[in-house]
Structures are given as structure tokens and as C-alpha cells.
Amino acid sequence: MIARKIPIQKKVLIENDRLAGVIRAELTERGIISLNLVSSPGSGKTSLLEKTIGALGTEINMAVIAGDVQTENDADRLKRAGGKIVWPVVTGGACHLDARMVGRVLDELNLNGLDILFIENVGNLVCPSNYDLGEDMKVILVSVTEGDDKPLKYPAMFRKSSVMIINKIDLRDYCEFDIERVKENALRINGGLRIFELSCRTGEGLDSWFDWLKKLSRNP
Amino acid sequence: MIARKIPIQKKVLIENDRLAGVIRAELTERGIISLNLVSSPGSGKTSLLEKTIGALGTEINMAVIAGDVQTENDADRLKRAGGKIVWPVVTGGACHLDARMVGRVLDELNLNGLDILFIENVGNLVCPSNYDLGEDMKVILVSVTEGDDKPLKYPAMFRKSSVMIINKIDLRDYCEFDIERVKENALRINGGLRIFELSCRTGEGLDSWFDWLKKLSRNP
């Protein structure tokens, strides 16, 4: 038998995937839907969760794990928005959440009666794509102020996502951003993407997102 | 003597810093100023370089190393904008440029008579902060569509930058972004930051940036 050397980084990912599997099994058994929100910094993950908590907070039992490199700003915003279960995770420099961080939070949380778990990842379009957190789906946000070639430039994250949200559509007339082109570019990489177009600022398009979450929480 | 174990990641960074030192020495000896542009995806690094090439291309000898995870889109845009020396580096999944990638390009480039080398890093506010590329200065871009707490949330990159560019100021009336607050937050982390406020789209504020580059290229 030949002993094969596995590079450290690969070992880390294997262990991460194992843990993610444990998390997924636990959440599935409890009927909890989990969504991992990923995007560039500033695309509007926290704003979307603020609006979602505001609109659905009495109807759906939601928890949020709010990841950030530094500060608990996002978690504080979500608590102010009415979030009942909001758990900050400060990575202290790390560029992504990993399954261990999520697992640690879940050990502390009361999961009874929970419908949806949102995991707000670190704002980063590259590294979080490698780390399965045990979620049911990744939800990727892009905003119309960012450039419509993002799916082509950061394909891994779009490939691994189930949902794409195009945010800040209220600014579409002020940006050289072609919404049809970003959709086309994204679908070329991942034909199965469910797409929402909305503006957290004006509220336009949010209802479709809310309706989808409601359906999801009824039929996990 | 006690043999001490140095973690792999630390070894990688030590080797990177050594190489960056070699690059810095070479560029300094040749009187070439080098600027490492960092930001979130979509903050406008490529747009800023397009405008800079358009305005100063005949006056200053510039080269650009355009880093991206996938595609050579940015390099193609910069060539179309009139860039004479534009070198794409596709990292193939890696979330940052490193000194080895830059060193390899410099081995190929004709550096004679060059005034300024721009290195357009991968769009990522976290990981590139750890990798010295041998540049004279890091230039960090933020855009008014991103949220004014970015310096607090991604402090390492702001701490290591010498210049901060606030881009897309033409959109300031449509965003909940307080320009004074982002400056205050950034200066709290790094009091030595030189700040430019501009819009690559309308051209507002670009002249100060151009003037600074002109001075820099005359007095490297």
C-alpha cells in the first residue's frame, strides 16, 4: 500500500464537508430550511434580511447567523429590525464562514420550532464558495451597481448557488448594468438558478421573495 | 536547539514577503512607482484605470497587471481604452494575487522607461490584504453604493492602504451612504490615508487623482 500525502488545505475541506453533512442532517431532520447568503461586500445581504424580518417576522420563525470579519454591526442591525434569534460570528480576519463556526452556534441555539435559518456569510465572492456550511441552498446577491460580468468573473459561486437575487434595481437607470445580460451570464454558468429582481430600498420586487420564503417554510 | 514548527500558511507568507521585497527593490531602482488597487468586486478598479489611461496615456508611461479569478475581461477593457502594456493574470480560483504571479509577469515585461505600474488585484476586501506584491502603495476603492461601515468591517485592508478612493459619488443622493462617515471610519483605522472622492462615470473629481499621479510620476 502506498501512503498518499493529502495537502493540508484539502484535509481542511474534507473535514469541513464532513461537519457540513452532520449539520445538514440535523437541520433536515428538524424540518428547518437553511439558506447561506453570499455576495460582495455591500450588495445588500443585511438589508435583505432586515426587510425579510420586518415583513415575515411574525409569520415565520427565523434565525440568523451573521458572519463578519470584524464588528457585530450586521447582527446589531438585524436585532434592531426585530430579529428574535440573531447570532453574530466574528471570524477575526478569516475570509469566510466554515462549518465548524456554524456548528458551534447551532450547539447554543434553541432550534425548536424554527422554520428558516439564514446564514449571512462574509462579504466575499471567492472563498466562501469552497466551504459548505450544511445549508440547503446558497443564495447569491449581486447589485446593479457592480457590473453585469460578475457571473463570468466569479463563476464558482454562481455555479454553487440555487438562487440569485439582483438587488438595487431602483438604481438601474444610473448604472451601465444590463439586467438581461447578468441573467444570461449567470444562467450560462448555472441554468437552474431561480432569479429575483428587487430593491431593498424601495421595496420593489420584495413580495416575490417573501412569497417564495413562505412557500419554502410551509414545504421544507 | 529546539526545532520550531512553522505552519504552512505562515511559510507561504514569509516566502511571499521575500519575493515582494525583491520586486520592490527592482522597481525602486528603476524609478517605477507601483500601485496595488484593491476593492470589493464592482467598486470600479477597471473603470478608474480606463479613465486614467484615457487621460494620461500619452503623458505617463503606464503598465497594468490585471488580476482576475476567471476571464481576461478587465485586461480586454483596458486594452480597448488604449492601454499599451496590459497583462492579464487569471488566478484560476485563487482569491488574491501573490508576489510570485507579479514577479512572473515582470520577468516578461519591458520595464524600460516605465513610470507607473498599476496592479489591479482580485475583487476581494479580505485576502489580498495579506499578500504584499512589492507595491509602493495599496489604493483601496470603495463606492457609495456599498455602505459606509466598510472600513470598520474590513479594517486590515484599510490599515494597509495609503490611498482611499471613494467612487460613484454621482450616486450619493440615491444611497444611504454618508461620505463624511466613511472618511471618519477609515481615518480612525488609518489616519494617514490620502482620500479622493470621484465618479468614473461622470468624471467629477477625477482631475485631483490625475494631478496626484502626475506629481507621483515626476517624483518617484
Side-chain angles (χ1 to χ4, degrees):
Chain A
M1 202 179 117
I2 301 162
R4 273 198 289 176
K5 223 175 141 182
I6 301 175
I8 303 273
Q9 177 63 9
K10 199 160 178 191
K11 273 191 203 156
V12 169
L13 288 175
I14 290 170
E15 173 57 13
N16 183 80
D17 286 356
R18 190 193 63 76
L19 259 174
V22 174
I23 292 171
R24 184 170 290 112
E26 166 86 11
L27 294 175
T28 305
E29 199 186 303
R30 289 172 173 271
I32 301 168
I33 293 285
S34 55
L35 302 176
N36 177 2
L37 271 63
V38 294
S39 80
S40 303
S43 297
K45 297 182 293 302
T46 315
S47 298
L48 182 70
L49 289 174
E50 283 176 326
K51 296 291 174 185
T52 305
I53 287 167
L56 304 178
T58 54
E59 201 170 330
I60 300 178
N61 286 318
M62 296 179 276
V64 186
I65 298 177
D68 236 318
V69 177
Q70 292 293 346
T71 86
E72 298 185 1
N73 285 10
D74 292 349
D76 293 343
R77 281 174 59 187
L78 295 170
K79 282 177 200 161
R80 280 199 299 274
K84 286 173 204 141
I85 311 176
V86 180
W87 203 284
V89 175
V90 176
T91 67
C95 50
H96 58 271
L97 291 178
D98 61 32
R100 201 172 35 105
M101 300 175 193
V102 172
R104 267 196 220 129
V105 175
L106 294 183
D107 285 343
E108 304 282 333
L109 278 186
N110 181 358
L111 301 173
N112 288 337
L114 208 58
D115 299 310
I116 299 184
L117 170 69
F118 291 103
I119 306 170
E120 182 179 349
N121 218 313
V122 171
N124 182 335
L125 270 189
V126 193
C127 318
S129 74
N130 291 322
Y131 291 82
D132 183 0
L133 304 181
E135 73 273 358
D136 290 301
M137 299 179 227
K138 283 190 177 63
V139 177
I140 187 163
L141 279 83
V142 291
S143 72
V144 305
T145 59
E146 284 171 42
D148 47 36
D149 59 351
K150 290 294 160 289
L152 303 180
K153 294 174 72 178
Y154 302 88
M157 199 71 107
F158 287 83
R159 198 172 297 124
K160 293 187 181 175
S161 294
S162 308
V163 176
M164 173 170 80
I165 291 179
I166 305 172
N167 189 19
K168 307 189 192 177
I169 58 169
D170 55 305
L171 297 176
R172 67 195 137 194
D173 294 339
Y174 308 106
C175 304
E176 279 89 58
F177 182 97
D178 185 331
I179 292 187
E180 292 313 310
R181 194 180 307 139
V182 82
K183 284 158 69 174
E184 197 182 290
N185 285 336
L187 290 171
R188 203 186 304 169
I189 286 163
N190 178 353
L193 273 176
R194 178 186 298 268
I195 300 175
F196 296 96
E197 300 170 35
L198 52 85
S199 163
C200 290
R201 186 162 161 266
T202 65
E204 188 185 348
L206 277 172
D207 279 339
S208 310
W209 164 249
F210 296 154
D211 287 344
W212 181 70
L213 288 178
K214 281 190 255 182
K215 266 185 222 152
L216 209 60
S217 69
R218 280 196 297 265
N219 309 298
Chain B
M1 206 177 117
I2 301 163
R4 271 200 289 177
K5 224 175 140 183
I6 302 176
I8 302 273
Q9 177 62 7
K10 200 159 182 192
K11 272 191 204 158
V12 170
L13 287 175
I14 289 170
E15 173 58 11
N16 184 81
D17 286 356
R18 189 193 63 76
L19 258 175
V22 173
I23 292 171
R24 185 171 288 110
E26 166 85 11
L27 294 175
T28 305
E29 199 188 303
R30 290 173 173 271
I32 301 169
I33 294 285
S34 55
L35 303 176
N36 177 1
L37 271 63
V38 293
S39 80
S40 303
S43 296
K45 298 183 293 303
T46 315
S47 297
L48 183 70
L49 290 174
E50 284 176 325
K51 296 292 176 185
T52 304
I53 288 168
L56 305 178
T58 55
E59 200 170 332
I60 301 177
N61 286 317
M62 298 179 275
V64 186
I65 297 176
D68 236 318
V69 177
Q70 291 294 346
T71 85
E72 298 185 0
N73 285 10
D74 292 350
D76 292 343
R77 281 174 59 187
L78 295 171
K79 282 177 202 162
R80 280 198 298 275
K84 286 174 206 141
I85 310 176
V86 180
W87 203 284
V89 175
V90 176
T91 67
C95 51
H96 58 272
L97 291 179
D98 62 32
R100 200 171 38 104
M101 300 175 193
V102 171
R104 268 197 220 131
V105 175
L106 293 183
D107 285 342
E108 304 283 333
L109 278 185
N110 180 358
L111 301 173
N112 289 336
L114 208 60
D115 299 310
I116 300 184
L117 170 69
F118 291 103
I119 305 169
E120 182 179 349
N121 217 314
V122 171
N124 182 335
L125 269 188
V126 193
C127 318
S129 72
N130 291 321
Y131 290 82
D132 184 0
L133 305 181
E135 72 273 358
D136 290 302
M137 298 179 227
K138 281 190 179 64
V139 176
I140 187 164
L141 278 84
V142 291
S143 73
V144 305
T145 58
E146 284 170 42
D148 48 35
D149 59 351
K150 288 295 160 287
L152 303 179
K153 293 174 73 179
Y154 303 87
M157 199 72 106
F158 287 83
R159 197 172 297 124
K160 292 188 180 173
S161 294
S162 307
V163 177
M164 174 170 79
I165 291 181
I166 305 173
N167 189 20
K168 308 190 191 177
I169 58 169
D170 55 305
L171 297 176
R172 68 195 137 195
D173 294 339
Y174 308 104
C175 304
E176 279 88 59
F177 182 96
D178 185 332
I179 291 185
E180 292 313 310
R181 193 180 308 140
V182 81
K183 284 157 69 173
E184 197 181 289
N185 284 336
L187 290 169
R188 202 186 304 169
I189 286 162
N190 178 353
L193 272 177
R194 177 186 298 269
I195 299 175
F196 296 96
E197 300 169 36
L198 52 84
S199 163
C200 290
R201 185 161 161 268
T202 64
E204 187 185 348
L206 277 172
D207 279 340
S208 310
W209 163 249
F210 296 154
D211 287 345
W212 181 69
L213 289 179
K214 282 190 253 182
K215 268 185 219 149
L216 208 61
S217 67
R218 280 196 298 265
N219 309 297

